[in-house]
Amino acid sequence: MKENIVKDKSYAFAVRVIRLYQHLTGAKKEYVLSKQLLRRGTSVGAMVREAEHAETKPDFRHKMAIAQKEINETIYWLELLVATDILQKNNLAASIKTPSKS
């Protein structure tokens, strides 16, 4: 089967967002912004998966555009978490960075 880099990376990103959510709700006791982050950050991969089985090319483009909007909103929530000192910028980079394949 053909490798799908976008699918793999969006899935790995969702896993990192879930772990960050667990940290935020556990250690930081932050529930509102973290819930928004969880919803948007995991919906990216879901939309990519949905696009994979699009019925037409326009349907595929539409679903991928939605995934792009979701990642943009995820960035917004991450920026708010940093701006309000709930997360440190250097900790954020370490939490969501995708590791390189060796």
Side-chain angles (χ1 to χ4, degrees):
M1 186 172 205
K2 191 174 174 183
E3 183 181 15
N4 186 332
I5 295 170
V6 175
K7 180 179 168 182
D8 295 344
K9 287 190 176 225
S10 63
Y11 181 83
F13 182 74
V15 169
R16 283 172 181 72
V17 166
I18 292 167
R19 289 189 180 135
L20 180 55
Y21 170 78
Q22 291 169 333
H23 168 72
L24 289 169
T25 57
K28 299 284 188 170
K29 303 295 184 212
E30 198 302 307
Y31 302 100
V32 178
L33 297 176
S34 60
K35 189 67 157 187
Q36 290 294 331
L37 173 67
L38 178 68
R39 287 182 180 143
R40 299 291 73 86
T42 56
S43 68
V44 175
M47 287 308 300
V48 168
R49 290 274 178 112
E50 204 172 315
E52 189 176 35
H53 298 286
E55 295 177 16
T56 63
K57 286 184 180 184
D59 186 34
F60 173 82
R61 286 191 294 271
H62 176 70
K63 288 176 182 357
M64 291 302 285
I66 293 171
Q68 185 177 8
K69 289 177 183 180
E70 296 293 348
I71 197 69
N72 190 46
E73 189 175 336
T74 302
I75 292 166
Y76 172 78
W77 296 116
L78 290 169
E79 288 172 346
L80 275 178
L81 287 164
V82 170
T84 56
D85 297 323
I86 295 169
L87 282 178
Q88 298 295 319
K89 194 171 189 173
N90 57 343
N91 292 344
L92 174 64
S95 334
I96 62 168
K97 184 179 179 194
T98 305
S100 303
K101 288 185 179 181
S102 301

